[in-house]
Amino acid sequence: KQEVTQIPAALSVPEGENLVLNCSFTDSAIYNLQWFRQDPGKGLTSLLLIQSSQREQTSGRLNASLDKSSGRSTLYIAASQPGDSATYLCAANSGGYNKLIFGAGTRLAVHP
Amino acid sequence: ETGVTQSPTHLIKTRGQQVTLRCSSQSGHNTVSWYQQALGQGPQFIFQYYREEENGRGNFPPRFSGLQFPNYSSELNVNALELDDSALYLCASSLVGLPTGANVLTFGAGSRLTVL
């Protein structure tokens, strides 16, 4: 049974810092791993999707890596801004369809 | 291009009642998935609909049921509501419903259900 864990649960940093959010999963047989952003009271916005055959994906200041052998993914945020404040969720797709297994998220606060 | 829209945004029910939540998928998408997100937790997969049929289900009892219509919109029905059903219910649409694992999901803003 796939389980996804995210560390840390919460993070508060000053503006401009480079950040690393961690995600671990127990079953390495995944189709892909996705990172989402969720603002308070809102739905999820897809940030990056890494296929099982890929090692990393980049979008702007965001870079996500995937290491299936160790069951880990990291989301790197460069030069953080107050607008980055949100909850970041990772989700593993190991059952096909759109059955994503989510972690509980990392709540990020970036203060000026 | 419109995104995923859900209604209602908030609702309050009492234990034992029934609720119907609605979702309009993003234009061009043919698959709808439903997730339940309890406070402080990640979303949990309820089920997915493709070509008007359920083709994947998570660990939820039969009192959670759904429909998909020819225009790809969808409903989530929950019977005999329990206190633990209080959560944010998220609908997500995508273009391909096959188990390829390569689908990027577009999520709606959710329907927040409170069961008293």
Side-chain angles (χ1 to χ4, degrees):
Chain A
K1 176 187 173 185
Q2 179 72 273
E3 294 182 1
V4 178
T5 304
Q6 291 187 247
I7 295 174
L11 189 60
S12 180
V13 300
E15 182 177 6
E17 280 204 2
N18 299 323
L19 309 171
V20 175
L21 307 183
N22 296 295
C23 171
S24 61
F25 47 95
T26 56
D27 185 354
S28 62
I30 61 172
Y31 287 99
N32 60 50
L33 187 132
Q34 299 185 44
W35 283 91
F36 294 87
R37 168 184 174 141
Q38 186 173 32
D39 293 290
K42 300 294 180 63
L44 279 63
T45 300
S46 179
L47 298 174
L48 292 165
L49 182 152
I50 312 175
Q51 301 288 4
S52 62
S53 58
Q54 298 175 324
R55 294 300 300 269
E56 66 178 335
Q57 281 286 334
T58 299
S59 176
R61 295 182 293 108
L62 305 180
N63 175 276
S65 66
L66 175 64
D67 184 345
K68 288 200 310 177
S69 62
S70 67
R72 293 184 180 184
S73 177
T74 60
L75 178 66
Y76 177 81
I77 303 176
S80 58
Q81 303 170 358
D84 295 330
S85 298
T87 296
Y88 291 81
L89 296 152
C90 71
N93 185 342
S94 56
Y97 308 107
N98 289 323
K99 183 180 179 180
L100 304 182
I101 306 299
F102 283 85
T106 293
R107 191 169 63 255
L108 173 64
V110 181
H111 49 87
Chain B
E1 180 180 281
T2 59
V4 176
T5 57
Q6 294 187 242
S7 63
T9 54
H10 296 84
L11 70 165
I12 300 174
K13 294 284 188 177
T14 56
R15 207 167 34 174
Q17 285 189 313
Q18 179 265 344
V19 67
T20 297
L21 307 178
R22 295 177 176 83
C23 172
S24 293
S25 60
Q26 180 169 308
S27 177
H29 285 184
N30 60 4
T31 301
V32 174
S33 308
W34 286 91
Y35 286 79
Q36 179 195 67
Q37 185 177 24
L39 199 61
Q41 298 182 21
Q44 288 193 323
F45 177 78
I46 303 175
F47 45 53
Q48 171 179 285
Y49 277 81
Y50 173 62
R51 291 183 174 177
E52 302 178 46
E53 291 190 0
E54 182 183 303
N55 75 337
R57 189 176 185 95
N59 189 26
F60 281 81
R63 59 190 186 84
F64 286 79
S65 63
L67 286 171
Q68 186 181 32
F69 301 99
N71 66 354
Y72 306 124
S73 66
S74 177
E75 286 183 355
L76 166 65
N77 300 291
V78 186
N79 294 322
L81 285 167
E82 302 177 358
L83 297 179
D84 285 348
D85 295 334
S86 294
L88 180 68
Y89 288 85
L90 295 164
C91 170
S93 71
S94 63
L95 178 57
V96 179
L98 301 176
T100 61
N103 308 320
V104 175
L105 302 183
T106 301
F107 279 83
S111 294
R112 183 163 298 282
L113 171 65
T114 301
V115 182
L116 303 177

